[in-house]
Amino acid sequence: MRFSATLIPTLRESPADAEIASHRLLLRAGMMRQVASGIYNFLPLGLISLEKVSRIIRDEMNRAGAQEILMSVLQPRELWEESGRWEKYGPEMMRMQDRAGRDFGLGPTHEEMITDLVRQNVTSYRQLPLNLYQIAVKFRDEVRPRFGLLRGREFIMKDGYSFDRDEEAMRHSYQRMYESYSRIVERCGCEFMVVEADTGLIGGDVSHEFSVPAAVGEDKIAFCRACGYAANVERAEYGRRPLASGHDEPPEMVQTPGKRSVEEVGAFLSVPAERVVKCMIYLVEDRPVAVLVTGDREVNETKLAKVLGTDKFRLFEEKDWAAYPDYISGYVGPAGLKGVQIIGDLQLEGARDMVCGANRKDFHLVHVAYGNDFQVDRMADVSSAREGDACPRCGQPMSVVAGIEVAQIFQLRTKYSEPMHALYVDEHGQKHPFMMGTYGIGVSRLLAAVAEQHHDQRGLIWPVAVAPAHLHVIPLNMAEGAVRDAAERLYQTAGEWGLEVLIDDRDESAGVKFADADLLGIPFRAVLGKKFLAEGLVELQSRSGGEKEMLPAAGVPARVKGLLAQDSPSVTSTAGESPVWE
Ligand code: ATP
Ligand code: MG
């Protein structure tokens, strides 16, 4: 590749709305451009890197026996009605009509489509197991598209689906994908961890996410160094510690004028937040539900959705408080609360000497005990784990870190095959729904995650596996015929050695060439400068740092080949165990 002939519009300045390194640097390195919020064009170098991620994915999928297909982006409404998701997916699914007024969704995921494809074409147990995947564009009208490729509205995903005859075979397929995914993320050069995950809108029981640690990650992962337990905090369990005990006195109503929040009430009554019962009123479908947690915790709405069996709920708003005048905003408490289902967090089991709202404006109750003074309809895990909480497996303190979810896999069982009547016939002529698994990896998000983990102040530092080229040849003074000729020769021979080379053949200053090379982050750089004119030596340097080496131009290709071999991460799998971040 010649810099002079390739579209690489590098930027000196950071684009104003690019908040995070990967977004900023992919733009500045001229690898992509924004079209609209959450929508991007890939330029030549960006596309090369994106394709390299795809190639690694294909390689691992094919090795695991999966078959590549390509499904349509436009998905007929009728298919999504069969699964009930036409309505359930809500505004996140982009929709359109054809000229005849027929509704289509732009595929945010393809469970319905693949289930339909398979039910029409696979009928016998002899055709199983089957694992089909595609690498294709997806559309999701995200509430907050941001962080460049990390959360786009149009993005590239590899989605795959397994079909098996029974549960054991499904688990086997799942395990295989777990291992393949671990290898994919590792080969792309990312540190990662596999964490237990909530199953959300996709559904099913068992799910894992592949999470890349990064400060900008939108997921929080609770993990235990001692035993390796790791789970998204949306789902992570934790051991409750007994609350600091107080006095066993009868409850008493006290005045708390204008004190509404846990902080205000706690400070006013000199009580720690954990001894204040936080009572949140939700409107669940059409009915109010009270959710209790201790004042030092937040309600975990993902866990709450599981407990309620629906995700159609929201916190009370102004108009709801007006509609239910018995509930007094800022002063609701579980003692004497009527006409509402009460769900209590496990931490409240055995809680004594607590403070809660008195259901009367400007009053709270003190010395309240669970069991005596208030009851709940259901005790459940509805709060989030946090730093230092006890691991649910071994009891040791857990850490919470931020991570980018680059992939998620699910055991779906018959969640789609049953309602959609996707059946196969076994050897006795009996019909059964397929046992399915679904496996998604964000191709464009993974590329951004790599960039997030591999950069410095000056630019990107690509791992070899996904770099837009291996070697960046930089002749500093194009006016010198000897430099120009030697650089051209090096460009030629390195290519013949099988290296991917970018030559900066522009008539630019050394400063510009170095700054662009730093931005682009190609792993190795061969500079032909003053030393070349004086002694015929080329300066070879790795973008990730380390010593500069001086060597004759003819020796560069072999040397770079050797260095590339060292730099490529081994593909020995860590699958089966969750690697723990240090
Ligand atoms: P998130 O929780 O981040 O919204 P998700 O759980 O909805 O993601 P899945 O349905 O599991 O995503 O999709 C599979 C993969 O597709 C994700 O692991 C992620 O890598 C990628 N992905 C999902 N949404 C986006 C997006 N808006 N932009 C880029 N990649 C995405
Ligand atoms: Mg997910």
Side-chain angles (χ1 to χ4, degrees):
M1 255 182 312
R2 291 180 180 280
F3 210 130
S4 64
T6 312
L7 181 61
I8 313 174
T10 55
L11 302 173
R12 286 289 152 262
E13 303 294 327
S14 289
D17 56 346
E19 299 163 61
I20 65 166
S22 59
H23 187 193
R24 209 161 45 229
L25 293 174
L26 286 165
L27 290 170
R28 286 191 57 203
M31 297 179 82
M32 65 175 200
R33 283 293 180 266
Q34 181 172 327
V35 177
S37 172
I39 305 176
Y40 293 89
N41 287 329
F42 285 89
L43 302 191
L45 296 190
L47 184 61
I48 292 173
S49 288
L50 191 72
E51 286 294 327
K52 285 191 175 181
V53 175
S54 297
R55 220 173 298 149
I56 291 171
I57 294 172
R58 278 199 182 95
D59 186 44
E60 291 296 339
M61 285 300 114
N62 298 347
R63 184 211 293 253
Q67 302 166 46
E68 186 168 7
I69 59 172
L70 183 59
M71 289 183 276
S72 71
V73 167
L74 292 176
Q75 307 199 11
R77 170 185 187 147
E78 294 70 34
L79 272 184
W80 282 67
E81 278 182 340
E82 285 189 54
S83 69
R85 285 207 296 185
W86 179 256
E87 206 213 323
K88 224 174 171 179
Y89 221 96
E92 193 157 309
M93 177 147 70
M94 295 199 175
R95 295 159 205 246
M96 57 158 289
Q97 290 189 330
D98 67 9
R99 62 173 80 200
R102 281 183 292 255
D103 287 319
F104 288 87
L106 271 60
T109 176
H110 279 65
E111 281 80 12
E112 286 80 357
M113 180 78 91
I114 194 93
T115 306
D116 180 53
L117 182 76
V118 168
R119 76 179 162 186
Q120 291 191 48
N121 296 285
V122 180
T123 49
S124 162
Y125 72 96
R126 288 198 198 86
Q127 295 167 281
L128 303 178
L130 183 65
N131 189 325
L132 300 169
Y133 76 95
Q134 64 171 346
I135 296 177
V137 65
K138 292 276 182 285
F139 293 87
R140 293 187 184 180
D141 202 357
E142 298 274 354
V143 182
R144 291 186 71 194
R146 59 182 189 151
F147 294 166
L149 299 182
L150 286 184
R151 186 168 298 286
R153 296 196 294 163
E154 173 177 336
F155 57 96
I156 313 287
M157 196 203 286
K158 172 263 159 182
D159 48 327
Y161 309 86
S162 62
F163 294 81
D164 282 289
R165 55 175 304 165
D166 56 25
E167 184 162 345
E168 193 187 336
M170 175 197 69
R171 279 211 217 97
H172 185 255
S173 298
Y174 184 86
Q175 183 60 25
R176 242 178 137 170
M177 287 298 105
Y178 185 118
E179 288 163 17
S180 300
Y181 273 41
S182 302
R183 293 166 66 96
I184 290 165
V185 185
E186 185 177 336
R187 282 179 62 178
C188 287
C190 276
E191 253 183 79
F192 68 103
M193 102 196 280
V194 189
V195 310
E196 290 179 16
D198 179 66
T199 50
L201 263 188
I202 304 269
D205 307 312
V206 177
S207 176
H208 288 89
E209 284 165 349
F210 293 73
S211 193
V212 167
V216 302
E218 293 183 281
D219 286 357
K220 297 272 174 293
I221 310 300
F223 77 99
C224 172
R225 278 174 212 281
C227 74
Y229 174 78
N232 192 309
V233 292
E234 285 182 343
R235 160 181 180 119
E237 293 166 25
Y238 66 98
R240 272 44 176 197
R241 263 190 291 264
L243 294 172
S245 65
H247 311 280
D248 253 343
E249 292 169 38
E252 194 185 320
M253 194 177 293
V254 296
Q255 251 192 320
T256 49
K259 310 294 178 208
R260 300 161 47 91
S261 68
V262 167
E263 293 70 35
E264 288 165 349
V265 173
F268 186 71
L269 298 175
S270 303
V271 174
E274 64 169 26
R275 295 229 339 263
V276 178
V277 179
K278 183 153 46 174
C279 180
M280 312 294 282
I281 310 283
Y282 283 87
L283 195 70
V284 181
E285 281 149 8
D286 295 324
R287 64 199 162 92
V289 172
V291 183
L292 313 179
V293 293
T294 51
D296 58 335
R297 302 266 173 185
E298 300 301 329
V299 174
N300 179 323
E301 295 191 349
T302 309
K303 289 181 176 179
L304 182 60
K306 277 248 145 59
V307 172
L308 294 170
T310 174
D311 54 9
K312 286 212 167 55
F313 61 83
R314 57 169 173 77
L315 269 177
F316 250 37
E317 293 168 359
E318 201 86 14
K319 58 176 187 281
D320 307 310
W321 293 109
Y324 292 89
D326 288 351
Y327 307 146
I328 297 157
S329 174
Y331 302 92
V332 242
L337 193 64
K338 302 249 163 39
V340 60
Q341 186 194 5
I342 302 180
I343 296 171
D345 182 65
L346 296 175
Q347 179 72 69
L348 289 163
E349 195 97 55
R352 319 193 68 71
D353 194 24
M354 304 293 285
V355 173
C356 67
N359 299 311
R360 185 175 158 193
K361 188 168 173 6
D362 291 339
F363 284 89
H364 277 78
L365 293 172
V366 297
H367 311 311
V368 172
Y370 169 65
N372 293 350
D373 310 307
F374 72 95
Q375 311 281 349
V376 301
D377 296 295
R378 185 151 172 210
M379 273 291 181
D381 177 6
V382 288
S383 64
S384 299
R386 64 181 183 210
E387 183 81 25
D389 278 341
C391 169
R393 289 215 192 121
C394 75
Q396 292 297 308
M398 295 192 289
S399 302
V400 174
V401 291
I404 300 167
E405 174 201 320
V406 293
Q408 186 168 13
I409 59 178
F410 301 77
Q411 291 182 12
L412 285 177
R413 307 169 62 87
T414 58
K415 165 142 177 125
Y416 295 89
S417 52
E418 223 167 82
M420 293 183 68
H421 308 291
L423 311 171
Y424 73 92
V425 178
D426 72 11
E427 50 274 65
H428 311 296
Q430 300 268 322
K431 287 186 172 174
H432 307 272
F434 294 103
M435 275 279 176
M436 292 172 57
T438 178
Y439 316 98
I441 181 160
V443 181
S444 43
R445 185 184 282 186
L446 179 52
L447 184 67
V450 175
E452 209 51 57
Q453 273 193 347
H454 299 276
H455 70 269
D456 62 15
Q457 297 284 40
R458 293 174 289 135
L460 295 155
I461 309 177
W462 290 111
V464 170
V466 300
H470 299 140
L471 177 65
H472 196 154
V473 174
I474 306 178
L476 285 186
N477 189 347
M478 291 297 284
E480 290 284 351
V483 168
R484 220 173 41 228
D485 293 348
E488 285 292 338
R489 246 189 334 272
L490 175 53
Y491 176 58
Q492 288 297 331
T493 50
E496 285 156 19
W497 276 72
L499 296 172
E500 298 162 9
V501 192
L502 175 70
I503 182 170
D504 193 345
D505 55 349
R506 297 173 302 169
D507 196 9
E508 289 284 1
S509 71
V512 166
K513 290 190 174 187
F514 282 138
D516 280 346
D518 283 343
L519 264 179
L520 261 47
I522 291 168
F524 297 100
R525 168 184 316 182
V527 180
L528 291 82
K530 285 205 184 79
K531 273 258 168 55
F532 183 78
L533 281 176
E535 302 166 48
L537 294 177
V538 172
E539 186 183 292
L540 183 66
Q541 197 183 15
S542 155
R543 175 63 180 89
S544 59
E547 293 291 296
K548 287 180 187 163
E549 288 179 39
M550 302 304 301
L551 69 172
V556 170
R559 180 69 186 133
V560 173
K561 270 250 159 182
L563 291 167
L564 286 179
Q566 284 171 26
D567 200 64
S568 301
S570 85
V571 289
T572 49
S573 171
T574 53
E577 22 176 326
S578 307
V580 169
W581 309 328
E582 290 310 324

